[in-house]
Amino acid sequence: MGRGKVQLKRIENKINRQVTFSKRRAGLLKKAHEISVLCDAEVALIIFSTKGKLYEYATDSCMDKILERYERYSYAEKVLISAESETQGNWCHEYRKLKAKVETIQKCQKHLMGEDLETLNLKELQQLEQQLESSLKHIRSRKSQLMMESISELQRKEKSLQEENKVLQKKLAEKQKAQRQQAQWDQTQQQTSSSSSSFMMREAPPATNISYPVAAGGRVEGPAAQPPQARIGLPPWMLSHISS
């Protein structure tokens, strides 16, 4: 039959309490040794009895080294926790400041829009009026500046377009002048060609009929051979001689 579950509370009997302490201490030291060997871990165990007697166990008997390492990690953890707490507190404070600033800006914006003016007194309304007038002056000044810049830009574009128009007009005039000169030149060439043709037609000699004798005693007429015609002003005997 198995052992029943032990209730975890202080043992009132002094002798039983001492016996239980001795047994549990030995088991705890044994378990510490086992975990250091099996898991290759650094283990340090410190036990004080009710009478103040010290019982300890340390891996490879380096209790000081393990305690120093423990203190170092414990201190680093405390610093980290403290820094996180301080950072969290700073963030909370910064959040409250930013929230108040946003609320103030939203309130000022509503006042500038003419809303929620019931809570303002006469002095605050006068300050708001002065602020609006100053803002209007800045707005009008900026508007005038932009209009002047726009006008200057348009004038510059106008001047550039005028110059470009002048250049195009000059090119067009030169092109028209070249076309007129070419037309005059063509007309002169045509007139010169017509005059040369009429002059050659007037200077060309009249065609005459030429007969070429052949060996058989006959005659051969040229390409433009025609029957002989009587020439005006010749005597009859010469005509009969030419015919024979």
Side-chain angles (χ1 to χ4, degrees), residues 23-184:
K23 292 181 179 180
R24 295 296 178 96
R25 181 196 65 203
L28 186 59
L29 292 173
K30 182 180 178 181
K31 292 295 183 182
H33 175 69
E34 289 177 356
I35 192 172
S36 65
V37 173
L38 295 175
C39 302
D40 193 19
E42 292 184 0
V43 179
L45 177 62
I46 299 174
I47 302 173
F48 289 97
S49 66
T50 56
K51 295 180 180 181
K53 188 175 180 179
L54 173 64
Y55 302 91
E56 65 178 13
Y57 171 82
T59 305
D60 298 331
S61 300
C62 53
M63 178 65 73
D64 295 337
K65 182 180 178 181
I66 296 175
L67 290 177
E68 182 182 357
R69 185 177 180 184
Y70 170 76
E71 290 177 356
R72 185 169 63 251
Y73 276 89
S74 178
Y75 176 76
E77 186 177 0
K78 288 179 180 179
V79 171
L80 182 60
I81 293 173
S82 177
E84 289 180 353
S85 300
E86 184 177 358
T87 304
Q88 186 175 3
N90 292 336
W91 278 115
C92 293
H93 181 64
E94 189 70 19
Y95 169 75
R96 287 192 294 269
K97 286 174 61 178
L98 292 175
K99 184 178 180 182
K101 188 178 293 185
V102 169
E103 290 177 355
T104 304
I105 292 173
Q106 290 178 349
K107 189 176 181 180
C108 291
Q109 184 179 6
K110 288 182 178 180
H111 292 165
L112 292 173
M113 295 296 294
E115 300 176 358
D116 296 340
L117 300 177
E118 293 80 5
T119 58
L120 300 179
N121 54 25
L122 181 60
K123 186 176 180 180
E124 291 175 345
L125 290 173
Q126 289 177 351
Q127 291 178 354
L128 180 61
E129 184 179 6
Q130 292 176 359
Q131 185 178 358
L132 290 173
E133 289 178 355
S134 177
S135 300
L136 285 174
K137 288 181 181 178
H138 288 295
I139 293 171
R140 292 192 183 104
S141 176
R142 179 58 179 167
K143 179 182 177 182
S144 300
Q145 182 181 357
L146 290 177
M147 290 179 66
M148 293 300 296
E149 290 177 357
S150 178
I151 291 172
S152 300
E153 182 67 18
L154 291 174
Q155 289 177 351
R156 186 184 63 80
K157 289 183 179 180
E158 182 184 5
K159 185 176 180 181
S160 177
L161 290 173
Q162 287 178 354
E163 292 177 356
E164 186 177 356
N165 190 18
K166 289 180 181 179
V167 172
L168 292 175
Q169 288 179 355
K170 185 177 180 181
K171 289 182 179 180
L172 181 61
E174 291 177 354
K175 186 175 181 180
Q176 291 177 353
K177 183 178 179 181
Q179 289 178 354
R180 288 195 299 269
Q181 290 178 354
Q182 184 66 30
Q184 291 176 0

